[in-house]
Amino acid sequence: MFELDYRLQNDCVEVGSLMVSRILLMKDANYPWLILVPQREGISEIYQLDVDDQEQLIWESSFVAERLMATYDGDKMNIAALGNVVPQLHIHHVMRKQDDAAWPNPVWGAVPPKAYSRHALRHRVEQLQAAFETSTFKPAELPPA
């Protein structure tokens, strides 16, 4: 049975899910930063997914990237599946702007995470849920306002 890694649970808020992946919002208001987690048990690498799930994951990643860029008028989309600390397969999607806190460097360790206010977190999740509206998207429960 699929279980989300506790570190992802602690560092993120659920936005919703697509056919293969759960969509999480990283609790760092410095950047629009989403993480896709394929809901498959015991997977740490993309090649471990079956071919249908691999194809669906690539579609979901592209869909999320395109919607993030359009919603927040990004300059660059950074996509990475590192897994050095959290081995569960998860793919970061960080929408970058040339005036963001870490530009042009990677976001990891560049500046301390900036916490969302409760209102701002709920608003961000609402924006993302509206951006991902499609027949295969299932929104998660909104965080408290």
Side-chain angles (χ1 to χ4, degrees), residues 57-123:
L57 177 61
I58 293 302
W59 183 90
E60 290 175 1
S61 176
S62 297
F63 172 77
V64 164
E66 184 275 327
R67 296 294 171 98
L68 266 180
M69 291 291 279
T71 301
Y72 299 107
D73 193 31
D75 295 318
K76 180 69 178 115
M77 176 59 58
N78 292 172
I79 300 175
L82 303 174
N84 298 346
V85 175
V86 177
Q88 182 175 53
L89 178 58
H90 62 288
I91 303 169
H92 298 265
H93 293 70
V94 187
M95 201 263 349
R96 303 295 305 276
K97 294 190 74 80
Q98 291 183 9
D99 63 353
D100 73 36
W103 187 268
N105 299 312
V107 297
W108 287 274
V111 297
K114 179 181 173 186
Y116 282 98
S117 70
R118 286 175 51 172
H119 175 74
L121 181 63
R122 184 182 175 97
H123 180 69

Side-chain angles (χ1 to χ4, degrees), residues 18-21 36 38 40 45-63 89 91:
L18 294 164
M19 290 179 67
V20 168
S21 302
L36 292 185
R40 303 296 185 259
E45 303 294 342
I46 294 170
Y47 68 80
Q48 295 171 327
L49 294 167
D50 68 37
V51 172
D52 290 339
D53 283 351
Q54 289 177 32
E55 290 175 359
Q56 183 63 31
L57 177 61
I58 293 302
W59 183 90
E60 290 175 1
S61 176
S62 297
F63 172 77
L89 178 58
I91 303 169

